[in-house]
């Protein structure tokens, strides 16, 4: 098993720690922090190699079938990773083209923000209706909003659930069900 810290230590000054790649430079953000993403037993670093941006995929544990998955992009035993200040081992990495655009983390964050805005609107409307009339009534919302959530109110509690949670729901807006 390898750690993010080990890779960051090696990539901070990789001079002489690669076999074929030669000089690679770890890209940093405006605050000087290394640019990387961690997930699914790998870390993907944004690096500059031969004047171009690349994705350097490093694995947190030994992985099988890397050659079948990555083909020629796999560089076996390419990067020297320190285990202690005096010892280390050569590990496999994958060098890939860096593709600009929204990454998965950004897409999820954007979707969650959008979802939260819709949920907050529905919850706000449900609470207002409940406070005004002591029960929540059907409220049709603009078409762009009406497919996401329904609000279920009972007593002092209002709960917002995904629209498809209730079967046979005939409303496309805000629906309240009281016992």
């Amino acid at each position: 098993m390898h750690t993010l810290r080990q890779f960051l230590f090696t990539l901070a000054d990789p001079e002489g720690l690669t076999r074929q790649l030669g000089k690679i430079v770890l890209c940093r953000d405006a605050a000087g922090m290394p640019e990387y993403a961690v997930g699914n037993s790998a870390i993907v670093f944004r690096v500059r190699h031969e004047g171009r941006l690349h994705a350097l995929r490093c694995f947190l544990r030994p992985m099988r079938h890397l050659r079948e998955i990555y083909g020629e992009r796999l560089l076996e035993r390419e990067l020297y990773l320190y285990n202690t200040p005096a010892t280390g081992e050569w590990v496999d990495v994958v060098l890939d083209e860096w593709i600009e655009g929204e990454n998965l983390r950004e897409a999820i964050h954007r979707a969650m923000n959008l979802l939260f805005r819709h949920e907050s609107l529905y919850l706000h409307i449900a609470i207002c209706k409940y406070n005004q009339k002591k029960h929540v009534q059907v409220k049709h919302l603009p078409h762009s909003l009406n497919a996401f959530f329904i609000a279920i109110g009972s007593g002092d509690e209002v709960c917002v659930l995904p629209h498809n949670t209730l079967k046979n729901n005939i409303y496309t807006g805000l629906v309240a069900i009281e016992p």
Side-chain angles (χ1 to χ4, degrees):
M1 298 290 284
H2 307 296
T3 66
L4 172 60
R5 175 179 251 171
Q6 287 175 285
F7 285 106
L8 287 171
F9 183 76
T10 294
L11 293 173
D13 185 18
E15 184 81 26
L17 299 178
T18 62
R19 290 186 182 214
Q20 299 172 27
L21 286 178
K23 185 175 181 176
I24 55 174
V25 177
L26 184 59
C27 295
R28 298 180 180 275
D29 64 15
M33 301 300 293
E35 294 185 41
Y36 64 88
V38 181
N40 198 20
S41 301
I43 309 165
V44 178
F45 293 95
R46 186 176 186 211
V47 298
R48 187 167 293 282
H49 177 254
E50 296 179 350
R52 293 180 44 218
L53 290 176
H54 290 275
L56 182 69
R57 182 178 307 271
C58 303
F59 301 96
L60 295 171
R61 60 183 171 80
M63 304 289 283
R64 293 189 280 166
H65 309 293
L66 291 177
R67 176 64 58 200
E68 292 92 322
I69 296 168
Y70 296 106
E72 293 180 11
R73 296 172 296 164
L74 175 66
L75 303 171
E76 294 176 308
R77 301 176 43 83
E78 173 62 26
L79 185 66
Y80 189 79
L81 191 65
Y82 286 101
N83 295 324
T84 69
T87 64
E89 65 182 296
W90 292 97
V91 296
D92 300 341
V93 298
V94 172
L95 188 67
D96 232 340
E97 179 182 347
W98 182 264
I99 300 172
E100 286 293 336
E102 187 176 52
N103 64 32
L104 181 58
R105 179 184 297 149
E106 292 165 344
I108 291 171
H109 184 71
R110 182 178 46 76
M112 292 304 293
N113 281 338
L114 181 64
L115 198 60
F116 179 73
R117 277 188 244 131
H118 289 303
E119 181 177 336
S120 295
L121 177 62
Y122 276 93
L123 187 57
H124 176 71
I125 291 170
I127 290 170
C128 290
K129 288 291 183 186
Y130 180 81
N131 289 338
Q132 289 172 0
K133 298 182 179 179
K134 297 300 178 203
H135 66 282
V136 182
Q137 306 226 343
V138 173
K139 171 70 177 172
H140 292 283
L141 295 174
H143 181 69
S144 62
L145 302 177
N146 66 13
F148 290 100
F149 286 94
I150 56 172
I152 300 174
S154 174
D156 290 325
E157 299 176 11
V158 177
C159 175
V160 178
L161 299 173
H163 187 273
N164 61 2
T165 301
L166 298 178
K167 293 182 180 176
N168 302 322
N169 177 22
I170 60 169
Y171 297 104
T172 59
L174 183 66
V175 177
I177 300 172
E178 293 193 3

